[in-house]
Amino acid sequence: MIPARVALALQQPYPVPTCVKDERDRAWLAAMFDGEGTISIRRYDSYRKEVKQIYQDGFVAFTSVANSDTELLEQCIVITGYGSSRVKWRGRAGDIDKRGIVTRRDNYGWRLEANKAIDIIRAIYPYLIAKRKQACIAYTLDKLNKQGRIERTIPGHGGRRVSKEIQDKKKLCWELIKKCNQREPVDIPTWIEEPQQEIQ
C-alpha cells in the first residue's frame, strides 16, 4: 500500500517552510527577540500627489534586533538569509568609568519590514515567551493589510481607501503593540490571530 499512501499524502495540504528551517535555529532566534529584539508596527502617511494631502494612514509590521556584538546579528542573517546589520549609534572613546571599563560601545541593528518581518514572526512564534502578544498583533496587522488590498480590487468599492472597519482595526493594532512594548497591561481583542504556517 506504500504507493497508494504516497499518492494520498501528496494530495494533502502541507505547511510551507518558513525562512528558518532548523528547529534549533528557530528557538535561538526567538530567544534573541525575547531578550534583544523588537516586534512592532510603524505608522506612515500615505500621500497622494494629485490632491496634495495625506490620504490614509498606513501601518507596517517590523522586527529588529540590536546588539553591540556584530557576531550575533550576523548569525541572525545567516539563519534567515534576510537583511544586513547597520550601525545604530557609535560609542565614544571617552565613555570609560573609573574602573577603566568602556560603558558605551558601538551598537548595531538588524531590521526587517513587511513580508520578511512576518516570515520571521511565523518562524519564531512557537518559541517566543516575552513577545508573544506583539507577534500576534503584528501578524494580524499584516493580514488586515492584505485584506485591505483585496478590498481595493472589488468593483464599486469606491476608490483606494480600505473600509473604516479594517482601518480602525489597523490603528488599534498600532496602539496595542506600543503599549505591549512599554510593558503596559493589554487585553487582546478576540479578532487578533496567532501566527500560522502557510498551507499549500
Side-chain angles (χ1 to χ4, degrees), residues 18 91 116 126 145:
T18 65
K116 289 182 178 179
N145 281 340

Side-chain angles (χ1 to χ4, degrees), residues 35-130:
E36 305 290 335
T38 300
I39 298 172
S40 194
I41 293 168
R42 176 175 66 85
R43 176 190 172 277
Y44 62 92
D45 296 328
S46 178
Y47 186 80
R48 292 187 66 182
K49 293 181 181 178
E50 61 268 27
V51 294
K52 296 183 180 180
Q53 67 181 20
I54 294 170
Y55 186 66
Q56 197 168 30
D57 290 344
F59 301 93
V60 62
F62 73 86
T63 59
S64 67
V65 176
N67 205 279
S68 57
D69 293 315
T70 56
E71 294 85 357
L72 291 174
L73 301 185
E74 290 303 319
Q75 185 63 18
C76 294
I77 296 164
V78 168
I79 287 173
T80 63
Y82 288 161
S84 59
S85 62
R86 299 180 180 179
V87 175
K88 291 187 70 177
W89 67 72
R90 291 289 185 186
R92 294 190 293 269
D95 288 344
I96 300 175
D97 68 15
K98 59 185 178 183
R99 299 168 295 170
I101 296 174
V102 176
T103 58
R104 179 169 167 150
R105 300 180 181 277
D106 292 349
N107 190 275
Y108 300 86
W110 172 60
R111 179 178 170 126
L112 301 170
E113 289 195 353
N115 289 337
K116 289 182 178 179
I118 297 303
D119 282 351
I120 299 296
I121 290 169
R122 286 174 47 238
I124 66 176
Y125 179 71
Y127 299 99
L128 285 173
I129 298 172

Side-chain angles (χ1 to χ4, degrees), residues 152-198:
R152 291 189 179 117
T153 66
I154 299 173
H157 182 264
R160 292 172 54 200
R161 281 184 179 270
V162 301
S163 67
K164 184 177 185 303
E165 179 187 4
I166 289 180
Q167 191 65 11
D168 287 347
K169 284 183 175 181
K170 293 193 317 188
K171 186 175 181 182
L172 182 59
C173 285
W174 175 59
E175 293 169 349
L176 289 175
I177 209 164
K178 287 192 298 181
K179 290 182 178 180
C180 287
N181 286 328
Q182 292 298 317
R183 308 297 191 272
E184 296 181 26
V186 171
D187 291 326
I188 299 296
T190 56
W191 48 265
I192 296 290
E193 300 181 33
E194 291 187 294
Q196 301 291 328
Q197 297 261 344
E198 291 184 4

